[in-house]
Amino acid sequence: VTNRRKNIDTGVSVAAELMGTEILYDFAHNNPILKTKPYTYTHNPRIIARISNFAAINSAMEVDLSGQVNAEFIAGRQMSSVGGLLDFIVGAFFSDNGMSIIAMTSTAKGGKTSRIVPQIEPPSYVTVPRHMADIVVTEYGIARLRGKNLRERAEALIKIAHPAHRESLERRWKESIRT
């Protein structure tokens, strides 16, 4: 990693915090190619958007067939917080040639539960609205959602769901169509 192609902080890796071993801290101490800055800088979507080709890579608990992302709750229990997820997704959305990727396994509970769901249902919440969804990746492929209508999104997401859950997702999608 050279950071030489970045529009801002060229040649420097920037982090809000560092956690690790003494080896890491020794490396970081007075190192001109590594800077720590406050989260008001590192997580600021306006600053992130200034970095061309910015790629935000995050995970989630579930994604519904419209592209809405839940990155916080499982079965009504809060497992995580929003953190910087939305900041980085918004920054990537407005970055020249930027992209945001939600990377997750297609199932949970040993394959019994699909992490691609027909709809995010209470008591879970939407962390990322569907209009900000860009790319979703599972072990079954990539669903590119940006610029697609709801039908195209659902089809793309069903293709990357676990094969054991695709038929059910497709049936639920067709049942939800009102036109």
Side-chain angles (χ1 to χ4, degrees):
V1 175
T2 65
N3 294 299
R4 63 187 158 99
R5 295 182 184 173
K6 286 173 35 183
N7 307 50
I8 59 173
D9 300 312
T10 306
V12 178
S13 291
V14 178
E17 60 185 53
L18 299 171
M19 293 178 69
T21 65
E22 193 169 331
I23 294 169
L24 171 66
Y25 299 133
D26 288 345
F27 171 78
H29 183 69
N30 292 326
N31 189 334
I33 65 167
L34 180 61
K35 297 220 184 302
T36 55
K37 294 191 178 189
Y39 79 92
T40 53
Y41 181 86
T42 61
H43 290 56
N44 185 325
R46 288 185 173 129
I47 291 170
I48 294 166
R50 291 173 44 202
I51 303 170
S52 296
N53 303 301
F54 186 84
I57 304 172
N58 292 281
S59 62
M61 307 300 174
E62 62 186 357
V63 175
D64 76 14
L65 293 177
S66 75
Q68 296 182 122
V69 178
N70 163 20
E72 301 169 77
F73 287 82
I74 297 175
R77 287 190 62 203
Q78 188 162 10
M79 306 302 286
S80 183
S81 66
V82 176
L85 183 143
L86 193 57
D87 299 325
F88 287 99
I89 285 180
V90 171
F93 188 86
F94 290 107
S95 164
D96 288 337
N97 297 310
M99 67 176 77
S100 64
I101 300 165
I102 298 295
M104 61 184 200
T105 58
S106 63
T107 62
K109 297 183 181 176
K112 294 177 186 168
T113 303
S114 179
R115 295 179 75 197
I116 295 175
V117 297
Q119 185 174 2
I120 293 175
E121 308 256 354
S124 292
Y125 296 92
V126 173
T127 310
V128 179
R130 69 179 187 231
H131 73 277
M132 297 300 295
D134 190 5
I135 299 168
V136 179
V137 177
T138 72
E139 67 273 30
Y140 293 99
I142 300 168
R144 297 181 186 277
L145 305 181
R146 191 185 292 194
K148 292 191 173 169
N149 64 35
L150 290 175
R151 180 187 51 77
E152 293 167 332
R153 287 166 169 257
E155 290 170 354
L157 288 162
I158 290 168
K159 285 180 185 173
I160 66 164
H162 189 284
H165 297 282
R166 290 178 189 166
E167 186 178 312
S168 170
L169 288 167
E170 192 166 333
R171 183 177 63 255
R172 292 281 305 274
W173 167 249
K174 287 179 181 176
E175 289 170 358
S176 72
I177 298 171
R178 305 223 188 272
T179 58

